[in-house]
């Protein structure tokens, strides 16, 4: 696929997902929307607001361990200012998962009060997890439920055979998360999703992707980039759309490959190997805690 072609999602999937999501939403009291703290904008579904409507929603800024701490705080303030409940978590280590019930309780306080007033004391809160593929939905469910309940599959919507998992007397979880498609229309969004591994690797050429990534890092986190690869970012060529728009990134990639000694016969730099190394190291957090999008 050409680097200019944006990532596509089969339209039939979207319609199906939308339908399943809507029917599942009717069953729950609250939606827990998981987003990626490194790309909070790109990892949100464009239709989320419309689908969820006025139902209470809690946003989990997941993978916050891999994101820039300052940026996490900015995003938390951003959501709070918009009146949206938010919690930064790390579903891999479990950090802040213990705060989840408190935040949920605050969000649902009025609802619980109204249930109590109607005599429905102890009515459990039913919740559903939604998010784009790979954002950490299964990890969250596993952390909450303490067992391997959710299968890690990039499947739209929620599967048949819905099951409620009782997390405690007052909290029930739909055991399959709602998988939402990300917003692909925007080329930058597509790239950000590819950087983090939210979309499949074979969709965008890896050398092109790595060039775009190092260009972003050069602008946003030059110190971390220099430090990780022991390179200088002096005297870089300017990007020129006539040249394909990535000369700067390609030069950075070459400097990295040279430092790492990634050569092919003839002494040329193996930019393909360099590209996959940089992408892997970014995803693995080796370049540092990085957030690519600010509110
Ligand atoms: P999904 O259900 O939304 O598709 O996502 P899933 O939980 O399968 O998580 C996708 C990947 O993201 C997994 O890595 C998972 O470990 C990782 N992950 C989830 N939450 C966090 C987090 O808060 N921090 C970090 N650093 N990683 C997180 P994987 O490579 O597919 O598997 P593995 O590393 O668990 O073996």
């Amino acid at each position: 696929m050409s680097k200019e072609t944006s990532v596509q999602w089969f339209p039939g999937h979207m319609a199906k997902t939308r339908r399943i999501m809507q029917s599942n939403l009717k069953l729950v009291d609250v939606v827990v929307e998981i987003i990626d703290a490194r790309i909070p904008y790109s990892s949100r579904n464009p239709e989320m607001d419309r689908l969820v409507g006025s139902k209470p929603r809690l946003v989990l800024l997941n993978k916050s361990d891999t994101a820039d701490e300052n940026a996490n705080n900015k995003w938390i303030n951003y959501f709070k200012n918009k009146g949206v409940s938010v919690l930064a978590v790390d579903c891999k280590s479990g950090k802040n998962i213990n705060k989840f019930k408190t935040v949920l309780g605050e969000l649902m306080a009025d609802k619980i009060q109204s249930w109590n007033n109607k005599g429905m004391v102890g009515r459990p809160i039913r919740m559903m997890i939604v998010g784009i593929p790979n954002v950490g939905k299964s990890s969250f469910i596993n952390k909450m439920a303490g067992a391997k309940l959710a299968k890690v599959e990039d499947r739209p919507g929620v599967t048949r055979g819905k099951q409620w998992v009782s997390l405690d007397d007052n909290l029930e979880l739909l055991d399959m998360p709602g998988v939402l498609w990300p917003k692909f229309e925007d080329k930058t969004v597509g790239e950000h999703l590819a950087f983090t591994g939210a979309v499949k690797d074979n969709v965008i050429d890896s050398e092109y992707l790595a060039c775009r990534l190092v260009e972003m890092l050069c602008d946003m986190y030059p110190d971390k980039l220099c430090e990780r690869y022991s390179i200088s970012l002096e005297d870089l060529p300017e990007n020129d759309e006539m040249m394909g728009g990535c000369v700067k990134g390609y030069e950075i990639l070459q400097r990295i490959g040279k430092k790492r000694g990634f050569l092919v016969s003839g002494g040329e730099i193996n930019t393909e190997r360099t590209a996959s190394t940089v992408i892997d190291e970014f995803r693995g957090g080796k370049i540092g805690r990085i957030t690519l999008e600010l509110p």
Side-chain angles (χ1 to χ4, degrees):
M1 183 181 271
S2 127
K3 65 192 177 193
E4 298 304 332
T5 316
S6 58
V7 186
Q8 295 298 328
W9 184 281
F10 178 52
H13 284 172
M14 294 200 188
K16 190 177 171 210
T17 305
R18 198 178 290 128
R19 254 194 335 269
I20 299 171
M21 194 72 74
Q22 272 162 342
S23 71
N24 281 298
L25 277 167
K26 290 196 192 103
L27 307 172
V28 300
D29 307 306
V30 56
V31 173
V32 178
E33 182 187 6
I34 307 191
I35 61 176
D36 186 325
R38 297 167 298 179
I39 50 165
Y41 172 75
S42 297
S43 60
R44 294 195 84 194
N45 176 274
E47 288 199 43
M48 198 59 211
D49 290 339
R50 201 175 61 76
L51 281 170
V52 175
S54 59
K55 197 151 280 203
R57 183 188 333 182
L58 201 165
V59 169
L60 289 184
L61 213 50
N62 191 35
K63 309 200 183 186
S64 58
D65 57 311
T66 59
D68 184 332
E69 189 106 56
N70 282 329
N72 287 345
N73 291 330
K74 283 186 184 150
W75 278 107
I76 288 169
N77 287 334
Y78 166 83
F79 282 113
K80 281 190 175 159
N81 287 338
K82 284 181 68 171
V84 176
S85 290
V86 59
L87 181 65
V89 291
D90 165 1
C91 289
K92 202 160 186 170
S93 74
K95 187 168 174 230
N96 275 354
I97 298 286
N98 59 349
K99 296 189 183 143
F100 176 79
K101 278 188 198 165
T102 310
V103 176
L104 184 70
E106 284 162 12
L107 171 65
M108 299 302 289
D110 288 348
K111 192 84 202 168
I112 294 167
Q113 187 59 53
S114 92
W115 288 336
N116 289 348
N117 294 345
K118 287 180 198 158
M120 299 191 304
V121 179
R123 151 86 153 80
I125 300 170
R126 298 202 178 98
M127 65 175 180
M128 169 181 182
I129 313 299
V130 298
I132 64 165
N134 239 349
V135 76
K137 297 175 299 298
S138 308
S139 305
F140 175 73
I141 294 176
N142 287 335
K143 274 277 175 292
M144 290 296 290
K148 294 257 174 219
L149 287 166
K151 293 241 167 29
V152 183
E153 273 180 61
D154 294 352
R155 183 169 33 197
V158 174
T159 44
R160 334 113 264 167
K162 288 181 269 294
Q163 262 198 311
W164 292 100
V165 181
S166 279
L167 297 180
D168 62 29
D169 289 346
N170 310 66
L171 190 54
E172 286 180 5
L173 169 71
L174 197 56
D175 91 334
M176 286 302 296
V179 182
L180 290 163
W181 62 97
K183 45 194 158 202
F184 287 138
E185 309 80 43
D186 184 320
K187 184 165 159 263
T188 309
V189 167
E191 284 174 8
H192 288 189
L193 291 164
F195 293 157
T196 57
V199 294
K200 296 270 180 294
D201 270 328
N202 54 10
V203 178
I204 302 179
D205 175 73
S206 72
E207 271 177 81
Y208 172 76
L209 194 65
C211 286
R212 297 289 298 136
L213 176 61
V214 292
E215 281 177 4
M216 276 210 82
L217 297 176
C218 175
D219 291 341
M220 298 177 76
Y221 295 93
D223 296 348
K224 287 184 179 176
L225 187 61
C226 291
E227 198 179 314
R228 174 73 194 168
Y229 297 107
S230 312
I231 53 163
S232 146
L233 295 173
E234 303 281 307
D235 303 320
L236 289 170
E238 285 300 318
N239 268 346
D240 179 354
E241 284 305 323
M242 298 290 284
M243 303 278 290
C246 244
V247 277
K248 183 175 162 187
Y250 198 69
E251 170 63 24
I252 300 172
L253 211 58
Q254 292 222 315
R255 290 184 190 182
I256 294 172
K258 194 172 170 193
K259 269 281 171 196
R260 287 281 171 103
F262 293 162
L263 304 175
V264 284
S265 56
E268 267 185 50
I269 291 154
N270 186 341
T271 43
E272 219 167 289
R273 183 173 170 204
T274 313
S276 57
T277 302
V278 169
I279 294 168
D280 280 353
E281 295 193 358
F282 169 76
R283 288 184 188 159
K286 296 214 174 80
I287 305 176
R289 294 181 61 170
I290 286 163
T291 301
L292 297 174
E293 299 168 356
L294 291 173

